Amino acid sequence: MIFEKSQNLSSGNLNPFLFEVYHLMRISGNNSRMRVTRVLCNYFKRYVEYEMRQSSGVDYKVPIYGWVRKGKRNWKYSQFHPLSAQGQMINKTSKENDLVEPIKDWKIFRGDRVQVLIGKDKGRHGLVNFIIKERNWCYVEGLNCEYKLEEEFEGQPLLKKTEKPLLVTSEVRLVDPADNEPTDIEWKYTEDGNKVRVSVRSGRILPLPAAAEDYYDDFTQISSYKDGDKDTNKEELQRVTFEPSLKSFEQDIFDQMGIKEDRKPGKTYWY
């Protein structure tokens, strides 16, 4: 791959589409500046410039008008992956900013059994199979579904079933396994210093389900993921390649190259 000019961008202006591109280069100089390299591939170059204009909120150059300032766009999260066509379409068409209630300590995780508090499935129990923390959303398996008739296939109509999101703050409640009733929880510390969930209803410790820690932030399942050719394995990542010492830069170079310095520096006088 051939590299061209470099362009500095503020690390606070990153967007999900350019996440991998920005991490190709090391942070140089000031930690708030990141160096991005543009390649001599027309499609890739145009793609990067287009995403910069759409969502990065930085200065970009237009052939006739010169440098133009583009404000940062508020990213809209949904159940679709940001790199998918549906995720891109939602961010291009939607102009409204969604108000989200801040949650200090998240209480419901993937794999928990919850009770639905609203809608036609009110009072029913189900397992949480998907969570979007940016919107305070959770999806309950088989509940709060929307049914829609689509085009006929071989003379038979198709009925599409889609699970709709529920707010974890007011529309679902965690089920206490002691009596299968909805309950609120509190975060407490055990004698060993571990932070656990405790049911307010029965005082029972509610451990986190195994599925809660089996997914990355990009919806990738850890247990079924296999490293590819371009992935860095755990052993290589944890290998120590630098040992700090009190040597100067010159002394470190001399030791690595086997250079012996016999000269003594002359005396310096300050007046």
Side-chain angles (χ1 to χ4, degrees):
M1 188 176 289
I2 306 175
F3 291 97
E4 199 187 0
K5 298 179 181 179
S6 296
Q7 184 174 359
N8 290 329
L9 295 175
S10 175
S11 60
N13 293 328
L14 299 180
N15 70 82
F17 294 111
L18 302 182
F19 181 78
E20 295 182 358
V21 179
Y22 288 140
H23 283 73
L24 292 176
M25 304 299 295
R26 295 180 57 189
I27 298 177
S28 60
N30 188 1
N31 291 332
S32 63
R33 307 293 292 179
M34 185 169 289
R35 199 174 166 199
V36 180
T37 301
R38 296 157 51 187
V39 299
L40 290 175
C41 177
N42 292 333
Y43 173 78
F44 187 78
K45 180 179 178 181
R46 292 199 308 268
Y47 176 76
V48 173
E49 292 178 348
Y50 171 77
E51 291 301 332
M52 288 167 56
R53 293 194 298 269
Q54 290 293 325
S55 58
S56 52
V58 297
D59 295 333
Y60 64 94
K61 192 174 184 179
V62 181
I64 299 178
Y65 299 100
W67 288 95
V68 180
R69 180 67 181 177
K70 179 69 176 181
K72 184 177 180 181
R73 180 184 62 188
N74 293 326
W75 183 258
K76 188 178 182 66
Y77 293 91
S78 65
Q79 68 271 28
F80 301 108
H81 195 280
L83 297 179
S84 63
Q86 297 91 337
Q88 297 185 28
M89 183 60 63
I90 290 176
N91 281 272
K92 290 180 180 179
T93 57
S94 178
K95 302 296 183 181
E96 299 180 358
N97 295 330
D98 299 305
L99 300 178
V100 180
E101 178 183 353
I103 299 178
K104 183 178 180 181
D105 294 322
W106 198 266
K107 299 180 180 180
I108 296 178
F109 298 87
R110 186 194 297 259
D112 281 332
R113 181 174 294 275
V114 297
Q115 177 175 328
V116 180
L117 304 180
I118 65 167
K120 59 183 179 180
D121 293 325
K122 181 178 180 180
R124 299 184 62 182
H125 295 180
L127 295 177
V128 177
N129 57 9
F130 197 72
I131 284 180
I132 302 178
K133 292 186 177 181
E134 291 80 6
R135 299 287 297 274
N136 292 348
W137 282 356
C138 74
Y139 291 80
V140 183
E141 185 176 352
L143 300 180
N144 194 37
C145 297
E146 181 185 37
Y147 299 90
K148 183 179 180 181
L149 282 174
E150 295 191 348
E151 298 180 358
E152 295 185 358
F153 177 74
E154 296 182 356
Q156 298 293 332
L158 296 178
L159 182 63
K160 184 178 180 181
K161 177 182 177 181
T162 307
E163 296 173 354
K164 305 300 291 183
L166 293 166
L167 289 176
V168 299
T169 55
S170 59
E171 298 178 354
V172 293
R173 190 68 62 84
L174 194 65
V175 174
D176 193 341
D179 52 4
N180 289 332
E181 293 294 333
T183 178
D184 198 1
I185 69 165
E186 294 179 350
W187 286 99
K188 296 184 179 180
Y189 289 91
T190 61
E191 296 179 355
D192 300 334
N194 298 325
K195 192 176 182 180
V196 295
R197 297 185 300 176
V198 178
S199 171
V200 177
R201 184 181 182 88
S202 62
R204 179 176 178 177
I205 295 179
L206 306 179
L208 295 180
E213 301 178 354
D214 196 27
Y215 287 85
Y216 292 114
D217 294 338
D218 58 351
F219 314 143
T220 303
Q221 190 173 6
I222 302 176
S223 59
S224 61
Y225 180 78
K226 296 182 180 180
D227 294 338
D229 298 335
K230 298 183 179 181
D231 293 329
T232 305
N233 54 36
K234 183 178 179 181
E235 293 74 14
E236 184 67 21
L237 183 63
Q238 295 179 347
R239 186 168 62 91
V240 179
T241 58
F242 173 74
E243 296 181 359
S245 63
L246 298 179
K247 299 178 182 178
S248 63
F249 176 76
E250 292 80 6
Q251 293 175 349
D252 194 8
I253 296 298
F254 287 166
D255 293 343
Q256 292 182 9
M257 302 184 65
I259 301 176
K260 294 183 179 180
E261 179 60 60
D262 298 331
R263 297 174 298 176
K264 296 182 179 180
K267 293 183 180 181
T268 351
Y269 302 94
W270 295 86
Y271 298 95

